Amino acid sequence: MIVQSVRWVGGVDGHLELIDQRKLPGELVTIRCRSVEQLHEAIRTLAVRGAPAIGVAAGYGLVLGLQSVADRAGPQAALKALADACEYLAGSRPTAVNLFWALRRVRDKTEQTAAAGANVGELRQTVLAEANAIYHEDVEMCRRIGANGERFITDGMGVLTHCNAGALATAGQGTALLVLFEAHKKGKRFRVYADETRPLLQGARLTAWELKQAGIDVTVICDNMAGWLMKQGKVNAVITGADRIAANGDTANKIGTYSLSILAREHRIPFYVAAPSSTFDLSIRSGADIPIEQRSAEEVVRPCGMAMPMVPDGVGVYNPAFDVTEARDITAIITERGVIERPNAERIVKHLSSS
Amino acid sequence: MIVQSVRWVGGVDGHLELIDQRKLPGELVTIRCRSVEQLHEAIRTLAVRGAPAIGVAAGYGLVLGLQSVADRAGPQAALKALADACEYLAGSRPTAVNLFWALRRVRDKTEQTAAAGANVGELRQTVLAEANAIYHEDVEMCRRIGANGERFITDGMGVLTHCNAGALATAGQGTALLVLFEAHKKGKRFRVYADETRPLLQGARLTAWELKQAGIDVTVICDNMAGWLMKQGKVNAVITGADRIAANGDTANKIGTYSLSILAREHRIPFYVAAPSSTFDLSIRSGADIPIEQRSAEEVVRPCGMAMPMVPDGVGVYNPAFDVTEARDITAIITERGVIERPNAERIVKHLSSS
C-alpha cells in the first residue's frame, strides 16, 4: 500500500487532498482543502504534519491562494494575493523550515515569471508547476534518503524511532522510515521500537501504522521506556527525522529527541537523522537560535481529545513541540545527497554544495 | 487538606477505606473494601498504589482475611486463612517489596501469638493491632523523611519529580512529596515539574493534584520533555520515591526513573530518592536481580481507558511498570532514619543498623 498524505487533484482550479492524520489509526479519512484558511487550519491542528509534507502542502496552498483572484484583476493583484497567502500560511507552524522554504520558492519563481510579463492565468500555471516540482522532488528526495541510509540498518538490529518521519510526514514515502522500508525490502530482518511520542502520539498512531502496513516488526513503547530498553541492549540504532537543522548541525526535531540523543550516547548507540537538504537553515548558526513552537496545554491535558482532563484544573502545563539535539550527539545526517558523518559546519557546507 | 489514601474503619469486624486513585483528578471517590478479593483487585488495578500504601493496605487486608473464619473454627483454621490471604495478596503486584514485607510482618506476629496459646478472637486483635502499627509507623516514617529531606530543597529551585510519591502513595503524607511539603511549610519558594508519567499518568493526575492542594507551584510536563527542561537549566534537583532498593543501592521505581537518572547526571543535577527503610531488600544484591512487573498492553493502547485505541490493531506493546536506577547515579537516599549520601552496600548496612 502506497500512503499519499498530500495530493493535488486537478489543474489550477483543483483542490488539495490530505490524509487526516488526527483520525489515524482509527480511520483513514481524506480532507479536501479548497482554501488557504482550510489549509492553515489543517497544518495548525496537525491534520497534515511532518516538515516535508507541510512544505509540499504549503506550495499547493498558494495555488488555492490564487483561485480567488479574477483573471482581469491583473498580475499585481495576483502577486499581492500570493504574498498574503505566503504570510498567512507561514504563521501556521513556526519551527518547520520547509514551510518557509516552499513558500519562498514558489513566490520567487512566480515573481520572476510576472517580471517577464506573464498574465494571471500564466501565473496560476507557474504556481502549480512549482508546487508540483516540489512534490515530485520530495518523492525523489525520499527515495534517495532511503537508498543512502539503508546501509546503517543490519540484520538482527533493534531500531528506535521517535514521532513520525514516514510517508505521512512527506509527499514521498518518508525519510527515517523510508530508510527502514528500504532495508526491509532488501530482506534485512530487524525490529523497530516506536516511541509513542506524547502529547500527540504520532509514534503510536502513525509510525506503528505505517510500519505494520509495510510488514515490519514494530513494538510501541511509552517515551519514558526508551532508556530502559537501551540499558537492556535492545536498541542498536536510533533514527529520527528533523524539522530544522542549523548551520553547525544542531537539529530541531519533535520534543523528546534531545533526551534520546543523550541516552543513546550514554549507551554507545549510533544516532541518525534522516532529512532532506531543504531542512538545513544556514541562516541559523546553532540550535540556540532555532525558535521553538509552544503548543496548547490542551494537548497534554486531554490526550487525544478525551473528555476528562488528566491534569487538575488550574495546574500549569509546559508543552514545547520541539527540542534541539546537539550536532556532537548525531552520528550521521542522511540526506538525498548522501551522508554527513559527524556533522559540523564545514562538512555541512561541503555536503550542500556538492551536486 | 489531609489526604488519607488508606484508612481502617471500625474494629476487627470493620472495613478498609481507600481513595480510588483511578478516578482522580476528576472525582474524589472512596472505595470500601470488605474482602481480600476486593483488595486484591484494588491493588492490581491501582485503585490503591505506591509501595508504602500497598503495604499498609495489605496489612489491613489480613484483618479482612480472618473475618470469614468462625471463632469456633480454632486458631489453626485462622492461621490457615491468614496464610492463604498472604499468598493471595502477594500475587497482586510483583515488584513492591513493602507488600511482602507487611504481609510477612503481620503473619509472623500472629503466628507467635498463636504459638503462645491465643484463641481466634485474640488472633484477630493481633492482626488488627499489627496492621495499625504498620499504619502509624508509616505516618511517622513519612514525617521523618520530610524532616530529613527538606534541607535539599532551597529557595528558587526547580524540582522535577516522577510518578507519585505523595500522600496517595503512603498512609502518611508521602515520601518524596513530603520533602516538598515540608520545604514549602518552612516558607521556601520553589517550582515543581511533575512528569505526567505514562502510561497511567500518576504524575499529571495525582502528584499535580496533591501539590496544588498544598499550594505549591506545579507544572505538568510529558515525560519526554524532562531532558529539554534540564538542558535549559530549569531543573536543579530530581526527587522520586522507590519501590524496592537492592543491597547495593540500585533502586527500582516507576518506569522512566532510569532515564531521568542518566539525564540528571548529564546535566549535573542531584538525584534524590526518598523511601522508608522497609523499601530495602537486602536479600537482593543488585538491581539486576529485581523482578520487573510487566503490565497489560491496554494501559498504553488506551490512555486512561479511552474508547479509541491509540495503537493500531496487531502492533506489539512493551509495558514494564518499573526500571532500575543505578546506585552510582543516586546522590542520596532519604529514609526515616536519615540520609545515605552516595549510597553503596556498606553505607546502606550501616544506615539500616543504626537506631
Side-chain angles (χ1 to χ4, degrees):
Chain A
M1 173 177 166
I2 295 292
V3 173
Q4 276 214 293
S5 61
V6 181
R7 194 166 78 99
W8 182 259
V9 179
V12 292
D13 294 324
H15 66 272
L16 185 60
E17 281 192 359
L18 303 172
I19 291 181
D20 188 347
Q21 303 191 30
R22 299 165 302 187
K23 300 275 170 66
L24 284 171
E27 298 172 85
L28 182 54
V29 175
T30 300
I31 302 175
R32 293 183 181 189
C33 277
R34 299 186 185 277
S35 70
V36 286
E37 290 74 17
Q38 241 186 313
L39 177 59
H40 185 284
E41 176 73 4
I43 296 174
R44 193 183 61 79
T45 62
L46 313 192
V48 59
R49 44 148 295 285
I54 292 172
V56 171
Y60 286 122
L62 297 180
V63 186
L64 297 175
L66 285 200
Q67 288 178 348
S68 54
V69 180
D71 280 350
R72 65 175 184 282
Q76 286 314 309
L79 291 182
K80 173 72 170 57
L82 190 71
D84 289 349
C86 282
E87 195 185 337
Y88 179 64
L89 287 173
S92 57
R93 293 294 300 278
T95 305
V97 72
N98 310 55
L99 171 62
F100 317 132
W101 169 86
L103 294 171
R104 186 76 254 167
R105 173 169 162 178
V106 174
R107 189 173 167 186
D108 284 353
K109 181 76 179 183
T110 312
E111 284 172 352
Q112 286 161 24
T113 312
N119 64 25
V120 174
E122 287 160 343
L123 294 183
R124 289 189 214 285
Q125 293 294 348
T126 302
V127 172
L128 179 58
E130 200 63 17
N132 277 332
I134 294 174
Y135 175 96
H136 290 295
E137 287 169 24
D138 190 77
V139 172
E140 177 62 11
M141 167 280 287
C142 289
R143 202 190 59 71
R144 288 195 192 171
I145 286 178
N148 291 337
E150 66 82 20
R151 69 181 160 98
F152 295 116
I153 308 301
T154 55
D155 252 341
M157 257 192 177
V159 181
L160 178 69
T161 188
H162 190 67
C163 198
N164 174 266
L168 291 166
T170 58
Q173 295 301 297
T175 53
L177 291 198
L178 193 40
V179 168
L180 303 179
F181 296 148
E182 196 59 28
H184 180 70
K185 261 193 214 155
K186 296 219 164 177
K188 297 177 189 173
R189 295 171 68 152
F190 51 94
R191 162 169 290 175
V192 181
Y193 293 99
D195 271 353
E196 64 173 8
T197 318
R198 279 280 285 152
L200 293 175
L201 303 172
Q202 293 93 334
R205 297 189 301 111
L206 310 179
T207 294
W209 183 78
E210 285 195 39
L211 290 168
K212 181 157 193 297
Q213 303 276 344
I216 295 175
D217 179 359
V218 54
T219 298
V220 170
I221 62 169
C222 295
D223 302 308
N224 63 21
M225 298 170 186
W228 184 235
L229 214 56
M230 292 179 184
K231 166 85 171 167
Q232 293 171 84
K234 293 184 179 177
V235 178
N236 309 102
V238 179
I239 186 163
T240 73
D243 288 79
R244 193 182 313 200
I245 307 177
N248 73 343
D250 290 352
T251 295
N253 190 48
K254 180 59 53 197
I255 185 72
T257 306
Y258 170 71
S259 291
L260 286 185
S261 73
I262 301 299
L263 292 167
R265 177 186 357 118
E266 164 74 15
H267 297 91
R268 300 172 184 283
I269 297 167
F271 187 97
Y272 303 106
V273 170
S277 53
S278 59
T279 314
F280 285 90
D281 182 350
L282 300 187
S283 76
I284 283 190
R285 211 159 55 97
S286 83
D289 301 320
I290 300 179
I292 299 295
E293 177 183 4
Q294 301 291 328
R295 293 184 59 89
S296 131
E298 282 296 290
E299 295 180 349
V300 176
V301 168
R302 297 177 197 270
C304 304
M306 65 191 302
M308 181 171 151
M310 288 296 112
V311 173
D313 260 4
V315 166
V317 169
Y318 174 64
N319 185 22
F322 303 95
D323 57 26
V324 179
T325 295
E326 289 183 52
R328 64 167 181 154
D329 291 322
I330 298 171
T331 309
I333 300 176
I334 303 156
T335 82
E336 75 282 9
R337 293 162 181 255
V339 173
I340 315 170
E341 313 243 13
R342 289 168 295 117
N344 63 20
E346 194 186 339
R347 294 195 190 99
I348 287 168
V349 167
K350 194 169 157 208
H351 180 85
L352 294 179
S353 55
S354 69
S355 58
Chain B
M1 173 179 165
I2 295 293
V3 173
Q4 278 214 294
S5 60
V6 181
R7 194 167 77 99
W8 183 258
V9 180
V12 293
D13 294 323
H15 65 271
L16 185 60
E17 281 192 0
L18 304 171
I19 292 181
D20 188 347
Q21 302 191 31
R22 298 166 303 189
K23 300 275 171 65
L24 284 170
E27 299 172 83
L28 183 53
V29 174
T30 299
I31 302 174
R32 294 181 180 190
C33 276
R34 299 185 187 277
S35 70
V36 285
E37 288 76 16
Q38 240 187 314
L39 177 58
H40 184 284
E41 177 71 6
I43 295 174
R44 193 183 62 79
T45 62
L46 312 192
V48 58
R49 45 145 295 285
I54 291 173
V56 171
Y60 286 123
L62 298 180
V63 187
L64 297 174
L66 287 199
Q67 287 178 347
S68 54
V69 179
D71 279 352
R72 65 176 184 283
Q76 286 314 308
L79 291 182
K80 174 70 170 55
L82 189 71
D84 289 349
C86 282
E87 195 185 338
Y88 179 64
L89 288 173
S92 57
R93 293 292 303 276
T95 304
V97 72
N98 310 55
L99 171 62
F100 317 131
W101 169 86
L103 293 171
R104 185 79 254 164
R105 173 170 160 176
V106 174
R107 188 173 167 185
D108 284 353
K109 182 74 178 184
T110 312
E111 284 173 349
Q112 286 161 24
T113 313
N119 64 24
V120 173
E122 287 161 344
L123 294 184
R124 288 189 215 286
Q125 293 294 349
T126 302
V127 172
L128 180 56
E130 199 63 17
N132 276 331
I134 293 173
Y135 176 95
H136 289 294
E137 287 169 25
D138 189 77
V139 172
E140 177 62 11
M141 169 280 288
C142 289
R143 202 191 56 72
R144 289 196 191 171
I145 286 178
N148 291 337
E150 67 83 20
R151 68 182 162 97
F152 295 116
I153 309 300
T154 54
D155 253 341
M157 256 192 179
V159 182
L160 178 70
T161 187
H162 190 67
C163 197
N164 174 267
L168 290 166
T170 58
Q173 295 301 297
T175 54
L177 292 197
L178 193 40
V179 168
L180 303 178
F181 295 148
E182 195 61 27
H184 181 68
K185 262 194 214 154
K186 296 218 163 178
K188 297 177 190 173
R189 295 171 68 151
F190 52 94
R191 161 168 292 177
V192 181
Y193 294 99
D195 270 352
E196 63 172 9
T197 319
R198 278 281 285 152
L200 294 175
L201 303 172
Q202 292 95 335
R205 298 189 300 114
L206 310 179
T207 295
W209 183 78
E210 285 195 39
L211 290 167
K212 179 157 194 298
Q213 302 277 343
I216 295 175
D217 178 1
V218 55
T219 298
V220 170
I221 62 169
C222 296
D223 301 309
N224 62 23
M225 298 168 186
W228 185 236
L229 214 56
M230 292 180 183
K231 166 85 171 167
Q232 292 170 87
K234 294 186 178 176
V235 178
N236 309 102
V238 179
I239 185 163
T240 74
D243 288 80
R244 192 181 314 197
I245 306 176
N248 72 341
D250 288 353
T251 295
N253 191 48
K254 180 58 55 196
I255 185 72
T257 307
Y258 169 71
S259 291
L260 286 185
S261 72
I262 302 298
L263 292 167
R265 178 187 357 118
E266 165 75 14
H267 297 91
R268 300 173 186 283
I269 297 167
F271 187 96
Y272 302 107
V273 170
S277 53
S278 60
T279 313
F280 286 91
D281 181 351
L282 300 187
S283 76
I284 282 188
R285 212 160 54 97
S286 85
D289 301 320
I290 300 179
I292 300 294
E293 177 182 6
Q294 301 292 327
R295 293 184 60 89
S296 128
E298 282 296 291
E299 293 180 351
V300 175
V301 168
R302 297 177 197 270
C304 304
M306 65 190 301
M308 182 172 150
M310 288 295 113
V311 174
D313 260 5
V315 166
V317 169
Y318 174 64
N319 185 21
F322 303 96
D323 57 26
V324 178
T325 294
E326 289 183 52
R328 63 167 182 155
D329 290 322
I330 299 172
T331 308
I333 300 175
I334 304 156
T335 81
E336 75 281 9
R337 294 163 180 256
V339 172
I340 316 171
E341 312 240 14
R342 289 169 296 116
N344 62 21
E346 194 186 338
R347 294 195 188 98
I348 287 168
V349 166
K350 195 170 156 208
H351 180 86
L352 294 179
S353 55
S354 69
S355 58

